[in-house]
Amino acid sequence: MDLSRTPAEAAAVAVDSPQADDGEPSEPSHPAGPASAPPLYVPVRPCAGGYALRVFRSPLGTRTAVAFTTQRRLSDVLGPGQRSVRLALPAVRALAAPLGVELVSVDPRLTAPPVKPLPAGEDTGPRPLRTLPG
C-alpha cells in the first residue's frame, strides 16, 4: 500500500506508467507545469452542504484520506456505487488538514476479507448472557 505520495512522486508514477491496470489507459496529463499531476479520484459521501471527504484508517490505525489514479481502481476497492470527485493531491491534503488528517493514501488496496452473509434462518438478534457458576 502506498501510504503517501508528494505531488512530484505522483507525477513521476503517472509518467512511468502510461497504462493502468488491465490495459486501461491512464488519464492524460495537462500541461499546467512540471510539478502538476493529473487529478485523482477521491471518494466522498453526501452531506447537507453537498459532499464531504471520506476518511479511512490505514492498516496501522492512522486516519488517512484516500485517492485513486483511475476510476476503475476506486471501484475495485470501494465498489461501483462509490461517489467520487476529481481533485489534485494538494487539494485533497487541504481538505484533510482541518480534520487532523495528514496522511493521503494513493491507490490503497482493500486488505480485509469480504463480509460473508449469515446462513438463511440464523437469528441476528441479541443473545442472552450466560450465567457463570460461582
Side-chain angles (χ1 to χ4, degrees):
M1 175 171 141
D2 297 326
L3 292 180
S4 182
R5 291 184 184 159
T6 65
E9 291 169 336
V13 169
V15 170
D16 290 340
S17 59
Q19 295 235 337
D21 294 345
D22 299 329
E24 178 182 313
S26 63
E27 294 295 322
S29 61
H30 301 283
S36 69
L40 300 166
Y41 294 87
V42 180
V44 294
R45 61 179 174 78
C47 68
Y51 293 102
L53 179 70
R54 284 192 65 190
V55 177
F56 298 85
R57 293 213 178 258
S58 73
L60 299 176
T62 308
R63 292 178 64 205
T64 181
V66 298
F68 297 87
T69 54
T70 65
Q71 181 68 42
R72 181 177 183 148
R73 290 181 180 176
L74 181 138
S75 294
D76 287 348
V77 174
L78 299 175
Q82 174 61 55
R83 295 180 183 181
S84 65
V85 296
R86 305 251 349 243
L87 295 172
L89 189 57
V92 177
R93 290 185 192 281
L95 286 173
L99 304 172
V101 177
E102 297 177 4
L103 184 65
V104 177
S105 300
V106 177
D107 288 329
R109 290 187 173 86
L110 184 63
T111 57
V115 177
K116 295 180 183 177
L118 292 173
E122 187 171 321
D123 183 18
T124 60
R127 297 188 177 155
L129 296 174
R130 293 185 319 190
T131 304
L132 298 175

